[in-house]
Amino acid sequence: QKEVEQDPGPLSVPEGAIVSLNCTYSNSAFQYFMWYRQYSRKGPELLMYTYSSGNKEDGRFTAQVDKSSKYISLFIRDSQPSDSATYLCATFQGGSEKLVFGKGTKLTVNP
Amino acid sequence: DGGITQSPKYLFRKEGQNVTLSCEQNLNHDAMYWYRQDPGQGLRLIYYSQIVNDFQKGDIAEGYSVSREKKESFPLTVTSAQKNPTAFYLCASGYTGVETEAFFGQGTRLTVV
């Protein structure tokens, strides 16, 4: 079983929609989770990170961790065409510095 | 400006040749990583290093080699043993000891011709 699983999509939504991007992880020892945004042919940029359980909000973005179900989510409110990108979830393999990623979800926000 | 610099941005290689991709960071990060990205595959870890003169294999290390002689530098050599080297290569760095975020360079696109 992969450490992090992510639905690759693609996901297409109209401008202004609320977007929900999700990942599941396998090891309950994972505590630190990150979301990256990657535009085509560019390096990923860190969007948000969360530690342990709970929510973290930054502008239109909310990252959520549910440790009981091993589920992490990124919500985008009032989505914009500029949000069109691939979104990657990531975590550190428990007990090591090995940083592992989901496969990424490609999002298109249509004007 | 602090950051991670990968060079070159585009690289062409003939079959059977080794090629080295550069990754330099001035963020004072201890950990550095190399990933390969193919369409539909996400980011796959090639090698990572937590400290100078030490590194570990990732999930797809075969056909690749690395060195970590300086904290700032983590070059990746794609050898002729790598059967399918055409891909987008990404370097990242971060702190060790405390799990925290990693930052990426802008990538090198390698094409075998």
Side-chain angles (χ1 to χ4, degrees):
Chain A
Q1 185 181 7
K2 281 186 63 67
E3 292 101 341
V4 182
E5 299 274 5
Q6 184 175 9
D7 185 345
L11 185 61
S12 182
V13 301
E15 183 175 355
I18 296 174
V19 176
S20 173
L21 302 165
N22 306 296
C23 291
T24 58
Y25 60 94
S26 59
N27 190 330
S28 58
F30 294 167
Q31 295 191 75
Y32 204 92
F33 304 95
M34 289 151 280
W35 284 97
Y36 287 83
R37 177 175 62 195
Q38 186 179 25
Y39 293 112
S40 181
R41 303 184 182 186
K42 300 289 186 183
E45 57 176 320
L46 181 67
L47 199 57
M48 295 187 71
Y49 63 90
T50 56
Y51 182 76
S52 196
S53 283
N55 292 356
K56 184 173 182 178
E57 191 173 317
D58 184 2
R60 297 185 294 111
F61 298 89
T62 299
Q64 187 175 78
V65 178
D66 182 346
K67 295 206 78 176
S68 62
S69 57
K70 298 180 192 167
Y71 205 75
I72 55 176
S73 302
L74 179 71
F75 298 98
I76 306 174
R77 293 183 299 279
D78 187 25
S79 56
Q80 303 295 309
S82 58
D83 295 328
S84 298
T86 296
Y87 291 81
L88 300 131
C89 58
T91 187
F92 284 94
Q93 189 179 52
S96 78
E97 302 291 340
K98 185 179 177 182
L99 180 60
V100 294
F101 283 81
K103 286 191 173 183
T105 301
K106 186 173 182 180
L107 170 68
T108 301
V109 181
N110 302 298
Chain B
D1 287 337
I4 303 170
T5 302
Q6 288 188 244
S7 60
K9 190 173 182 180
Y10 299 97
L11 188 57
F12 296 88
R13 188 195 93 173
K14 291 183 179 180
E15 280 194 37
Q17 287 182 336
N18 292 355
V19 64
T20 298
L21 282 59
S22 171
C23 179
E24 304 275 336
Q25 54 96 2
N26 60 4
L27 299 167
N28 200 32
H29 287 161
D30 290 305
M32 296 187 75
Y33 308 83
W34 274 106
Y35 292 88
R36 169 180 172 143
Q37 189 173 36
D38 297 282
Q41 297 279 351
L43 270 65
R44 293 186 289 169
L45 183 63
I46 304 172
Y47 271 97
Y48 63 108
S49 168
Q50 300 174 43
I51 196 169
V52 173
N53 293 323
D54 189 39
F55 46 83
Q56 289 76 41
K57 292 182 179 180
D59 299 317
I60 56 164
E62 185 175 351
Y64 300 97
S65 66
V66 293
S67 64
R68 188 84 187 276
E69 297 178 0
K70 298 187 299 182
K71 185 176 184 178
E72 302 79 19
S73 179
F74 192 40
L76 173 74
T77 296
V78 184
T79 75
S80 57
Q82 169 50 234
K83 300 302 181 190
N84 186 21
T86 295
F88 190 44
Y89 290 88
L90 288 158
C91 178
S93 71
Y95 291 109
T96 57
V98 178
E99 291 177 339
T100 184
E101 60 271 27
F103 298 92
F104 281 84
Q106 286 304 299
T108 293
R109 188 166 297 278
L110 172 64
T111 303
V112 174
V113 297

